[in-house]
């Protein structure tokens, strides 16, 4: 479907942002499109029981099993009646524990969402610390199941060293401190990267108005608005598999906030911190030593992920 000269292009944005960072990214992308003449409708995903920010440390770990296993929480109903004619659907989300956040996965899992998205052109926008690929794969499977036309994916991330990023994101999520400190840089996606996402807006507008989306993802990759990091991918894929086992181990003791699972969550906390700060450096060294044996396969995986190949 192409838009004609008399129709105002309509974009709808579905998103959940706990810290506000993802909202800033989406605003940076959509404001130029509004200036160009598009009508943009935002639809917030609202959990019936809010996830507060900053998080307490207990609440942070409490959300782990449901996040990793994509167990839905109740969300407020979404009215689709005013966005039936949308020419483009933008889905904004962030990963929690290597999976889509609980509010977003809950939204994506609803039958009404699937019915609405069927046949729609969809652009996904991720705001993450750095490990977004597992969530991306999960979301992609759902979009293909719904029969969407997935036209592009943007993934903005914290560009600092992985271990430094862990320290800054914990400080931000638990203490609410995002800015630079004496020893640590600011947390999250940089302001410059958030502003840079606006650069793709003219190409999106052209694709909406002419109906040709074939070049969009290539330009997104060329502009560095999504990148594949082989070393992080190696860590993430192995971690995601192990976290799945941990999540199932915890959930056997009960559902969200069940006090019977508190001890297992504490074990996971100790495991996670040990892996991040004591084990992962050795894992990274092992990856570097074996990289020549993996380079061809990783190149293929990178191409598949960057260019939305199933």
């Amino acid at each position: 479907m192409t838009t004609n000269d008399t129709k105002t292009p309509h974009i709808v944005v579905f998103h959940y942002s706990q810290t506000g960072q993802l909202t800033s990214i989406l605003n940076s992308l959509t404001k130029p499109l509004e200036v160009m003449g598009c009508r943009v409708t935002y639809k917030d995903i609202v959990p019936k029981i809010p996830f507060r920010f900053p998080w307490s440390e207990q609440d942070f770990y409490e959300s782990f099993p449901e996040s990793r296993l994509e167990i839905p929480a109740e969300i407020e109903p979404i009215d689709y009646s005013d966005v039936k004619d949308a020419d483009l659907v933008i889905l904004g989300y962030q990963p929690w524990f290597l999976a889509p956040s609980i509010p977003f996965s809950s939204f994506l899992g609803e039958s009404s969402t699937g019915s609405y998205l069927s046949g729609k052109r969809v652009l996904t926008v991720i705001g993450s610390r750095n490990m977004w690929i597992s969530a991306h794969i999960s979301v992609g499977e759902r979009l293909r199941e719904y029969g969407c036309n997935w036209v592009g994916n943007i993934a903005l991330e914290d560009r600092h060293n992985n271990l430094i990023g862990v320290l800054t994101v914990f400080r931000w999520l638990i203490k609410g401190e995002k800015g630079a400190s004496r020893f640590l840089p600011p947390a999250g996606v940089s302001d410059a990267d958030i502003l840079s996402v606006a650069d793709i807006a003219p190409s999106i507008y052209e694709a909406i108005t002419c109906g040709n989306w074939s070049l969009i993802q290539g330009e997104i990759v060329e502009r560095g608005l999504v990148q594949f990091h082989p070393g992080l991918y190696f860590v993430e894929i192995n971690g995601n598999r192990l976290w799945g086992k941990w999540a199932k181990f915890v959930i056997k003791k009960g559902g969200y906030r069940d006090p019977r699972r508190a001890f297992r969550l504490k074990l996971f906390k100790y495991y996670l911190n040990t892996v991040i700060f004591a084990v992962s450096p050795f894992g990274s060294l092992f990856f570097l030593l074996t990289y020549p044996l993996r380079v061809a396969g990783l190149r293929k995986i990178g191409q598949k992920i960057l260019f939305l190949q199933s």
Side-chain angles (χ1 to χ4, degrees), residues 15-250:
H15 88 302
Y16 170 81
S17 183
Q18 186 185 28
T19 66
Q21 175 179 262
L22 182 62
T23 303
S24 297
I25 293 170
L26 292 166
N27 284 340
S28 180
L29 176 63
T30 59
K31 290 300 180 185
L33 289 163
E34 288 184 291
V35 171
M36 294 171 199
C38 293
R39 177 162 60 100
V40 179
T41 302
Y42 270 78
K43 296 283 187 178
D44 291 345
I45 299 166
V46 181
K48 287 191 174 180
I49 300 177
F51 293 90
R52 65 179 180 174
F53 176 76
W55 252 332
S56 69
E57 185 173 333
Q58 179 182 350
D59 285 346
F60 175 78
Y61 286 105
E62 187 67 50
S63 70
F64 158 65
E66 284 71 20
S67 296
R68 173 57 187 83
L69 299 177
E70 299 187 41
I71 297 172
E74 286 190 295
I75 62 174
E76 298 293 343
I78 294 177
D79 179 13
Y80 297 99
S81 62
D82 58 337
V83 292
K84 289 181 179 179
D85 66 340
D87 301 286
L88 176 66
V89 177
I90 297 178
L91 301 179
Y93 69 98
Q94 61 282 111
W96 288 4
F97 295 100
L98 307 183
S101 71
I102 292 175
F104 184 80
S105 64
S106 301
F107 158 77
L108 204 58
E110 293 203 335
S111 59
S112 58
T113 302
S115 298
Y116 174 75
L117 291 177
S118 179
K120 290 282 195 302
R121 291 192 182 97
V122 174
L123 171 71
T124 46
V125 178
I126 305 169
S128 86
R129 187 178 72 82
N130 59 17
M131 295 187 187
W132 51 268
I133 290 176
S134 298
H136 167 79
I137 291 171
S138 176
V139 169
E141 289 173 351
R142 186 76 73 169
L143 296 181
R144 293 184 180 100
E145 175 188 333
Y146 290 156
C148 302
N149 181 6
W150 193 12
V151 297
N153 178 63
I154 294 169
L156 299 189
E157 55 193 75
D158 185 336
R159 295 181 184 268
H160 293 106
N161 171 273
N162 184 44
L163 294 182
I164 290 175
V166 170
L167 294 173
T168 58
V169 78
F170 266 97
R171 182 190 61 183
W172 185 20
L173 293 179
I174 306 301
K175 296 183 178 180
E177 299 173 5
K178 187 180 189 299
S181 65
R182 182 179 177 185
F183 299 107
L184 292 172
V189 179
S190 71
D191 291 341
D193 284 343
I194 291 174
L195 291 174
S196 73
V197 78
D199 295 342
I200 197 70
S203 298
I204 291 175
Y205 179 78
E206 182 179 352
I208 292 174
T209 54
C210 75
N212 181 11
W213 291 89
S214 62
L215 301 179
I216 285 293
Q217 187 60 26
E219 184 174 344
I220 288 171
V221 173
E222 184 179 340
R223 289 183 178 276
L225 297 176
V226 62
Q227 297 182 37
F228 176 75
H229 309 287
L232 288 176
Y233 171 79
F234 176 78
V235 172
E236 178 178 352
I237 293 304
N238 285 288
N240 189 50
R241 184 176 63 253
L242 291 172
W243 286 16
K245 294 179 180 180
W246 268 101
K248 292 175 183 177
F249 173 69
V250 173

